[in-house]
Amino acid sequence: MSRPRQTRKVTLRDVADRAGVSISTASLVFSGRGPVADATAERVRGAASDLGYAGPDPLASSLRQGRSGTVAVIVEDRLLHAFRDPFALAVLDGLAQELDAMGTSMLLLADHADSPDNPLAAHAVDAAIFPLCGRSDSPIVDHLTARHIPMVGAGAPVHDEVVHVVIDERGASATATRHLVELGHTRLAHVTMPLGAPRPTHTLDVDDLEAATYPDSRERALGFLDLAPHGSPVVEAEHPDVAEGEAAARLLLDVDPEHRPTGIVAQSDLLAAGVVRAARALGLAVPADVSVTGFDGVDLPWLDTRLTTIEQPGEAKGRLLGDLTRRALAGESPASTPFEVRLRVGDSTGRAPGSSGA
Amino acid sequence: MSRPRQTRKVTLRDVADRAGVSISTASLVFSGRGPVADATAERVRGAASDLGYAGPDPLASSLRQGRSGTVAVIVEDRLLHAFRDPFALAVLDGLAQELDAMGTSMLLLADHADSPDNPLAAHAVDAAIFPLCGRSDSPIVDHLTARHIPMVGAGAPVHDEVVHVVIDERGASATATRHLVELGHTRLAHVTMPLGAPRPTHTLDVDDLEAATYPDSRERALGFLDLAPHGSPVVEAEHPDVAEGEAAARLLLDVDPEHRPTGIVAQSDLLAAGVVRAARALGLAVPADVSVTGFDGVDLPWLDTRLTTIEQPGEAKGRLLGDLTRRALAGESPASTPFEVRLRVGDSTGRAPGSSGA
DNA sequence: AGAGACTATCGAATCGATTCGACTCGATCG
DNA sequence: CGATCGAGTCGAATCGATTCGATAGTCTCT
C-alpha cells in the first residue's frame, strides 16, 4: 500500500489546526507576507511536514490573488511544424528565459484553424503571446479582449489590443533583393513561406498576394517585388522547410538556362538551404551560377555554405516579447516596439554570371 | 479610451442578475450540465453577451472541480537544447496530439538543476510528464508525490511513483553493435550523449559510467560495451547535436589508420550525422572506410546518407506517454509499458574494409 | 383524483486559499 | 501612569465559480 488513498487532501486548515494557530497565521507562514513569531512559524512548518503538506494549493491561491502565473504561448498548427524551424526555437528560447526570470510559466496552446472550441476558455492565463508570425486574425483574440487579458505578438494577429514586436519585413526583403541587384543579377526569383493554408508548392500568381493571411510572408514578397524586375517568378512553398525549399527551387531552376534565374531570394534560411541543395543537385554552383539569400540568420551546421541572409536575432526577439509581456502584466501599456534586422553577406551570393565587376 | 478600465470584472453573478435567474441556473447554462428551459438559456446568453461576459472564470471553475485541465511537461535545461533534436520534437508532437484530444493543455516547465525553487509549487497541474530522458532523479518528484499528482516518464526520473514508457536501450544499442560485428568490423568505437552535466566532448574512462545521471545514455553505452571488443574507445559528446558529433568523430578518426575504428556506434542520429560529416571531411568514405550507426530514426533531409539506425517512432512514443497520462488521470493506475524499437539498415554501414563476404 | 416521475429553478455549502480590519499584549514615551 | 505604538494573531469576508438537495410546478398513468 504505497498510496494512502483514503486520506482526504491535506489543506492549510489541517496544518493550522495541528499547529494550534489560525488559518490566517498559517497562510502568512507560507507566503512570508506578514510578521510571524519564529517559534510559531517553526511549529507551522513542522505540522506541514508531519502531514505531508506541500504548500498552498496553487488554484486557490491563484483565484484569490487574481493571477495564475501563467501565460499562454499560442502557436498555430501542430507543434511539430511550429518548432521545426530553428528560428522559432530561438525565439521561444529567449521568451522562456525572460518569462522564467519573472517566475512565469508557458502554457503551450495550439490554435488549430479548424477546431470550433477555444482552448483558452478552459485555462487561466495572465497574458497571451503569439511568438511566431501566424494568421493575421484569430477568434482567440476576441475572447482574450473580452477577458481583458493583455496580448503580445510578433506581427500577427493584427489587432489593436495586441502589442507587437515590429519588424520591417518589407524593407528587409527589399534589402536582400537590392543586394542581388547590385551584384548585377537581372533574372531574379522569390520563394515565399506559406501565405495562408498550406497548398502544394507552386508558382504564385502575384495578384493572390492580396488574399494572403500571413502578413509577414506577404510583406516579404512585396519587398521582393518592389525591386525585382516586373514578372519575376514567385513560388509559394507548402511548408517553410528544407524539403519544400528544394521543391520550390526545382520549379525555378529546372528550366531553359536562358530563362533560369541567377538570383533567388528566399523568405527563410531553411528555404534558402533547400534552394542551395536543389541547385547543386541540378549541377549548378552556388554562388557561381545561382546566388541565394535567406532570412533569419540561423545556424545550420550541416550546410557547408554560409548563407547571405537577413540577420534577425531570434533569442533577442523572444526576450523582447517577454519584456513586453512583463510590462503589460505590470500594468503599463507598452507600445509596439520596432526590432532591427540587417543584411549579413555570406558565401551564397556573388556577382551575376557574365556580369563584370569587382 | 479603448479600455474601460473602471468596470469591475463581470462575473456569473452579474449575468445571472441581469437575466433574472439564480447563479446556479446561469452556471448550468454555461456548463450544459443540467436541464434549463430554452427561453431561460437564451436570456442568460443574451445577458452574457450584453455584459461582455466571456464565460466562467477558469480559475474558479478549476478550483471547484478540482482539476485544472493542464499537465506539466517537464524538460531539462533550456528549451532550445531540449527541442533541437527532431526526435524530441516528434515525441512532443505525439504527446500534444493525444493531450489535445483529451482537452488538456501543456504547461512547459524547465527544470534547471541549479534553481532552488520549484516552479511547480506555483502552478496547478493534473499530472506531470517527463517526455525526454533526463536526470535519473529530480527534487520535483518528491513535491509531486506529496501532492498525489500522477507522473509519467520516458525512462527518467527513476522513481516508484513514475509510470514509464520503457525502452530496452541496452539491448537496442547492443543490436546496433552486433550489426557492425556481423559485418566484420573489429575496431569499434562509441559516441555517447551527455551522461550528466555537460562536459566538453572527450574520451571517456569507462569506469565513469557508474556515475552517469542520465540512465538512457548509460544503458546505451553498456549495450555497446556488451559486444564491442574490450578497450574500444568511448567518447562523450558535450551536447547531442551535429556539431558535437563531428567533434567526437574527429577525436576517434583523426588517428593513425592502423588504429582507426572502422565502425562507430552513435547514440543518436544527430550525433551519427556529425560523425558522417566529420569522416567525409577527413577524406574517409561512408561506409567504405567507416560504418556509422545512429539511434532514433529521425528524418534528416539534409543528410545524403540514409543512416543505419535504431528506429524509435517518436510520435508513437509521445502518444503512448499521452495515453498513460490519460489513464492516470482517469483514476486507473497504469503500469509501465514497454515500447519496441528495431534496427533499420541504411546506407551508412557496410562490410569492414578488407573483410571478405557478401 | 392522487401517486409518481420528471422538469426547471433556486439557496446554500463548498473548493482552499489570501487579506483586511480588529484585537491583545508588552514595550516605549512624555 | 496613561497614551501610543508595533508585533503577533485571529475571525470573517472574499475570490468566482460548481453542485447537492429541496421545492414548486407539470405531465402521465391508473
Side-chain angles (χ1 to χ4, degrees):
Chain A
M1 293 302 154
S2 69
R3 288 210 200 166
R5 286 204 165 281
Q6 320 292 4
T7 60
R8 199 175 36 74
K9 194 174 176 189
V10 180
T11 73
L12 192 54
R13 136 160 264 114
D14 303 318
V15 174
D17 285 353
R18 177 174 245 261
V21 301
S22 71
I23 299 184
S24 33
T25 300
S27 174
L28 293 180
V29 172
F30 289 103
S31 68
R33 237 179 284 266
V36 176
D38 286 351
T40 312
E42 212 38 67
R43 228 162 356 110
V44 170
R45 270 190 284 269
S49 104
D50 290 351
L51 296 172
Y53 180 73
D57 181 328
L59 273 178
S61 170
S62 296
L63 172 60
R64 184 61 237 255
Q65 298 186 120
R67 325 167 303 92
S68 69
T70 300
V71 300
V73 173
I74 298 162
V75 301
E76 257 176 67
D77 208 51
R78 285 168 48 181
L79 271 53
L80 185 63
H81 294 143
F83 296 161
R84 216 192 253 298
D85 193 326
F87 179 71
L89 278 183
V91 172
L92 211 72
D93 190 50
L95 177 59
Q97 286 173 40
E98 202 69 18
L99 293 178
D100 217 68
M102 32 189 291
T104 300
S105 299
M106 310 195 305
L107 188 69
L108 211 49
L109 294 178
D111 173 23
H112 332 68
D114 48 343
S115 165
D117 46 29
N118 180 343
L120 268 170
H123 296 285
V125 297
D126 298 337
I129 306 174
F130 300 80
L132 312 175
C133 280
R135 287 203 299 278
S136 47
D137 68 330
S138 163
I140 285 189
V141 175
D142 294 329
H143 184 262
L144 291 166
T145 304
R147 276 237 157 84
H148 300 296
I149 294 177
M151 289 171 276
V152 176
V158 180
H159 189 284
D160 277 353
E161 298 286 334
V162 184
V163 178
H164 282 289
V165 170
V166 179
I167 286 174
D168 178 13
E169 309 277 0
R170 186 168 185 162
S173 186
T175 299
T177 310
R178 181 177 306 110
H179 170 67
L180 292 179
V181 169
E182 286 170 351
L183 286 168
H185 294 270
T186 52
R187 293 200 305 275
L188 298 180
H190 189 49
V191 179
T192 79
M193 302 186 288
L195 292 156
R199 299 169 53 190
T201 298
H202 66 288
T203 300
L204 190 73
D205 180 346
V206 174
D207 296 334
D208 289 356
L209 273 181
E210 298 304 319
T213 50
Y214 291 75
D216 57 336
S217 309
R218 189 192 56 221
E219 291 302 303
R220 291 183 193 178
L222 291 173
F224 168 78
L225 294 172
D226 284 343
L227 292 182
H230 186 73
S232 298
V234 175
V235 170
E236 175 184 0
E238 180 170 9
H239 300 294
D241 61 20
V242 176
E244 296 306 322
E246 293 188 53
R250 278 194 299 272
L251 287 180
L252 291 167
L253 295 175
D254 196 5
V255 298
D256 164 24
E258 296 298 307
H259 299 107
R260 189 203 302 138
T262 64
I264 297 185
V265 175
Q267 285 196 354
S268 83
D269 287 350
L270 283 189
L271 289 173
V275 172
V276 169
R277 285 177 53 82
R280 289 188 182 148
L282 289 167
L284 301 170
V286 175
D289 298 314
V290 188
S291 284
V292 182
T293 69
F295 204 114
D296 292 340
V298 301
D299 186 31
L300 301 177
W302 43 266
L303 187 69
D304 296 306
T305 307
R306 195 176 134 86
L307 287 172
T308 294
T309 189
I310 301 294
E311 203 164 37
Q312 179 185 191
E315 209 176 304
K317 188 175 178 180
R319 278 199 302 266
L320 180 50
L321 285 166
D323 192 57
L324 290 175
T325 305
R326 184 185 55 68
R327 288 160 52 195
L329 288 177
E332 306 174 33
S333 300
S336 289
T337 308
F339 188 73
E340 294 300 325
V341 298
R342 69 171 192 282
L343 180 72
R344 183 184 74 199
V345 178
D347 310 325
S348 66
T349 51
R351 293 211 61 83
S355 81
S356 64
Chain B
M1 293 300 155
S2 70
R3 286 211 200 166
R5 285 203 167 283
Q6 320 292 2
T7 60
R8 199 175 37 73
K9 194 173 175 191
V10 180
T11 73
L12 193 53
R13 135 161 265 115
D14 303 317
V15 175
D17 285 353
R18 178 174 243 261
V21 301
S22 71
I23 300 184
S24 33
T25 300
S27 174
L28 292 180
V29 171
F30 289 103
S31 68
R33 237 180 284 266
V36 176
D38 286 351
T40 311
E42 212 38 66
R43 227 162 356 110
V44 171
R45 270 190 285 269
S49 102
D50 289 351
L51 296 171
Y53 180 74
D57 181 327
L59 273 178
S61 169
S62 295
L63 172 60
R64 184 60 239 253
Q65 298 184 120
R67 328 167 300 92
S68 69
T70 300
V71 300
V73 173
I74 298 161
V75 301
E76 256 176 69
D77 207 51
R78 285 167 49 182
L79 271 54
L80 186 63
H81 294 144
F83 296 158
R84 216 192 253 298
D85 192 325
F87 179 71
L89 280 182
V91 172
L92 208 73
D93 191 50
L95 178 58
Q97 287 172 39
E98 202 69 19
L99 294 178
D100 216 69
M102 33 190 290
T104 300
S105 298
M106 310 195 307
L107 188 69
L108 211 49
L109 294 177
D111 174 22
H112 334 66
D114 48 342
S115 165
D117 46 29
N118 180 343
L120 268 170
H123 295 287
V125 297
D126 297 337
I129 306 175
F130 300 81
L132 312 174
C133 279
R135 289 202 299 278
S136 47
D137 69 330
S138 165
I140 286 188
V141 175
D142 294 329
H143 184 261
L144 291 166
T145 304
R147 278 238 157 84
H148 299 298
I149 294 177
M151 289 171 276
V152 177
V158 179
H159 189 285
D160 277 353
E161 298 287 334
V162 184
V163 178
H164 282 289
V165 170
V166 178
I167 287 175
D168 178 13
E169 308 278 1
R170 185 167 186 163
S173 186
T175 299
T177 311
R178 182 177 305 113
H179 171 67
L180 292 178
V181 169
E182 286 172 352
L183 286 168
H185 294 270
T186 53
R187 294 201 304 276
L188 298 180
H190 189 50
V191 179
T192 79
M193 301 185 289
L195 292 154
R199 298 168 53 192
T201 298
H202 67 288
T203 300
L204 191 73
D205 180 346
V206 174
D207 296 334
D208 290 355
L209 274 180
E210 297 303 319
T213 50
Y214 291 76
D216 57 336
S217 309
R218 190 191 56 221
E219 292 301 304
R220 291 182 194 180
L222 291 174
F224 169 78
L225 294 172
D226 285 342
L227 292 182
H230 187 72
S232 298
V234 175
V235 171
E236 177 184 358
E238 181 170 9
H239 299 294
D241 61 21
V242 177
E244 296 307 323
E246 292 188 52
R250 277 194 299 271
L251 288 181
L252 291 168
L253 295 175
D254 197 5
V255 299
D256 165 23
E258 296 297 307
H259 299 106
R260 189 205 303 139
T262 63
I264 297 185
V265 175
Q267 285 196 355
S268 83
D269 286 351
L270 282 190
L271 289 173
V275 172
V276 169
R277 286 177 53 83
R280 289 189 183 147
L282 290 167
L284 301 171
V286 175
D289 298 314
V290 188
S291 285
V292 181
T293 68
F295 205 114
D296 291 340
V298 301
D299 186 30
L300 300 176
W302 43 265
L303 187 69
D304 296 307
T305 308
R306 196 176 134 85
L307 288 172
T308 293
T309 190
I310 301 293
E311 202 164 38
Q312 180 185 192
E315 210 177 303
K317 188 175 178 180
R319 278 199 301 266
L320 180 50
L321 285 166
D323 192 56
L324 289 175
T325 305
R326 184 183 55 69
R327 287 161 52 194
L329 289 177
E332 307 174 32
S333 300
S336 289
T337 308
F339 189 73
E340 295 298 327
V341 298
R342 66 170 194 283
L343 180 72
R344 184 184 74 199
V345 178
D347 311 324
S348 66
T349 51
R351 292 211 63 84
S355 81
S356 64

